Amino acid sequence: MKINETDIEKIRECKKVAALTGAGISAESGVPTFRGEEGLWKKYQPEELANFDAFMKNPELVWEWYNYRKELIREVKPNPGHYALAELENIIPDFTLITQNVDDLHRKAGNRSILELHGNIMKNKCLDCGKITDSIGPIEKGELPRCECGGLLRPDVVWFGEMLPQDVLKKAFNVSEQSDLFFSIGTSAVVQPAASLPLIAEENGSFVIEINTEPTVISDTVSLFLQGKSGEILPELIEKVWHVS
Ligand code: BV8
Ligand code: ZN
């Protein structure tokens, strides 16, 4: 990882840190990304499945997709990239993790102050009474998961065209604006409004570090673009900047 002494000094002085993560940070745990070549699901695009109309048209298919992803996520573990961010929360008093991911891996890795912009795949919401449950009893083949009130359950995630939880989003905007150091990690930075967070940080004078295996639409505007795997770069960066051995 190429980083010069001046940048190391600058990063070390920062006190208010925010990190935005996307599917890329979970790739090394074996969770497929959305737009990667392996894609998440045979022939469908996430946008076709992760939306309310698709769900109402074919709830079985959408539940099949989410159950497939939940099975996957139950098997996987956080990787060194997740653990590095958990360590960062312990090193920096004013640290906030903002994630677009719904895979719960940051919580498993030990982060506590987490803003889940797009919800959490392990939680379900009732279409009728709005009750959130985190477990579904056994369902007969071809049956759909239902709430005890009889209402249809949906995954408690934010679909395309749906509002993000307003309190969570407001906090995410605030910490991005107030930050003096902002990380954009493993996200293609295309999905709004999450993708505006690095730009807001940049506008407010934060030092913005992007970590991604590929350049993205924001790579040439950030203060430092570190190309590579977050599971490798993050531990190395922490070593260089904060564990001055
Ligand atoms: C909203 C939860 C409006 C569900 C997700 C046209 C039509 C309709 C809508 C829109 C439109 N134009 C814009 C919109 C808005 C839309 C949007 O932004 N669309 C995009 C596609 C153009 N946004 C919305 O609809 C949002 N809501 O705007 O509401 C509104 C306003 C007022 C009133 C009512 C409504 C809702 C967006 C949330 C959608 N839900 N997920 C689920 O997960 O099933 S989005 C989904 O994409 C995931 O959350 C994911 O996190 C997110 C972003 O993707 P990434 O995380 O970036 O993942 P991706 O695969 O793209 O990239 C991975 C990156 O990692 C790559 O860059 C890769 O290079 C890198 N990488 C890979 N391996 C590694 C790595 N990096 C480091 N290390 C590695 N090892
Ligand atoms: Zn209900």
Side-chain angles (χ1 to χ4, degrees), residues 1 30 60 62 105 133 137 147 153 165 176 184 215-216 223 236:
M1 173 188 78
E60 290 79 5
V62 175
L105 286 176
T133 60
C147 168
L153 286 178
S176 304
S184 178
T216 70
S223 323
E236 206 185 321

Coordinates of all heavy atoms in Angstrom, one line a residue, residues 1 30 60 62 105 133 137 147 153 165 176 184 215-216 223 236:
M1 N 0.9 -1.2 0.0 CA 0.0 0.0 0.0 C 0.9 1.2 0.0 O 1.8 1.4 0.9 CB -0.8 0.0 1.3 CG -1.7 1.2 1.5 SD -2.4 1.2 3.1 CE -1.0 1.6 4.2
G30 N -16.8 -13.8 1.6 CA -17.5 -14.8 0.7 C -18.9 -14.3 0.4 O -19.7 -15.1 -0.1
E60 N -42.9 -14.9 -3.6 CA -42.1 -16.1 -3.4 C -40.7 -16.0 -3.9 O -39.8 -16.3 -3.3 CB -42.8 -17.3 -4.2 CG -44.2 -17.7 -3.7 CD -45.3 -16.8 -4.0 OE1 -45.0 -15.8 -4.8 OE2 -46.4 -16.9 -3.5
V62 N -38.9 -13.2 -4.4 CA -38.1 -12.3 -3.6 C -37.7 -12.9 -2.3 O -36.5 -12.9 -1.9 CB -38.8 -10.9 -3.4 CG1 -38.0 -10.0 -2.5 CG2 -39.1 -10.3 -4.8
L105 N -22.4 -8.1 9.5 CA -21.0 -8.5 9.8 C -20.3 -7.5 10.6 O -19.4 -7.9 11.4 CB -20.3 -8.9 8.5 CG -20.7 -10.2 7.8 CD1 -20.0 -10.4 6.5 CD2 -20.4 -11.4 8.7
T133 N -39.8 -8.4 13.4 CA -39.4 -9.7 14.1 C -38.0 -10.1 13.5 O -37.7 -9.8 12.4 CB -40.4 -10.8 13.7 OG1 -40.3 -11.0 12.3 CG2 -41.8 -10.5 14.2
G137 N -40.8 -18.5 12.0 CA -41.0 -19.9 12.3 C -40.9 -20.7 11.0 O -40.8 -20.1 9.9
C147 N -46.8 -12.7 9.8 CA -46.8 -12.2 11.2 C -47.8 -12.9 12.0 O -48.8 -13.4 11.4 CB -47.0 -10.7 11.0 SG -47.4 -9.8 12.6
L153 N -45.1 -10.9 5.8 CA -43.8 -10.4 6.3 C -42.9 -10.1 5.1 O -43.0 -10.8 4.1 CB -43.0 -11.4 7.2 CG -43.6 -11.6 8.6 CD1 -42.8 -12.7 9.3 CD2 -43.5 -10.3 9.4
P165 N -34.3 5.0 6.5 CA -34.7 5.4 7.8 C -34.2 6.9 8.1 O -33.0 7.1 8.2 CB -34.1 4.4 8.8 CG -33.2 3.6 8.0 CD -33.5 3.8 6.6
S176 N -20.9 12.8 8.7 CA -20.0 13.0 7.4 C -19.6 14.4 7.3 O -18.5 14.7 7.1 CB -20.8 12.6 6.2 OG -21.3 11.2 6.3
S184 N -14.4 5.8 2.4 CA -15.4 5.1 1.6 C -14.8 3.8 1.2 O -13.8 3.7 0.5 CB -15.6 6.0 0.3 OG -16.6 5.3 -0.5
P215 N -11.1 1.5 -9.4 CA -11.5 2.9 -9.3 C -13.0 3.0 -9.4 O -13.6 2.2 -10.0 CB -10.8 3.5 -10.5 CG -9.8 2.5 -11.1 CD -10.3 1.2 -10.6
T216 N -13.6 4.0 -8.8 CA -15.0 4.2 -8.9 C -15.2 5.7 -9.4 O -14.3 6.4 -9.6 CB -15.7 4.1 -7.5 OG1 -15.3 5.3 -6.7 CG2 -15.3 2.8 -6.8
S223 N -9.2 12.4 -1.4 CA -7.9 12.9 -1.0 C -6.9 11.7 -1.3 O -5.7 12.0 -1.6 CB -7.8 13.3 0.4 OG -9.0 13.9 0.8
E236 N -3.2 -2.9 7.4 CA -1.9 -2.2 7.1 C -2.0 -0.8 7.5 O -1.1 -0.2 8.1 CB -1.6 -2.5 5.6 CG -0.1 -2.5 5.3 CD 0.2 -2.6 3.8 OE1 -0.6 -3.3 3.1 OE2 1.1 -1.9 3.4

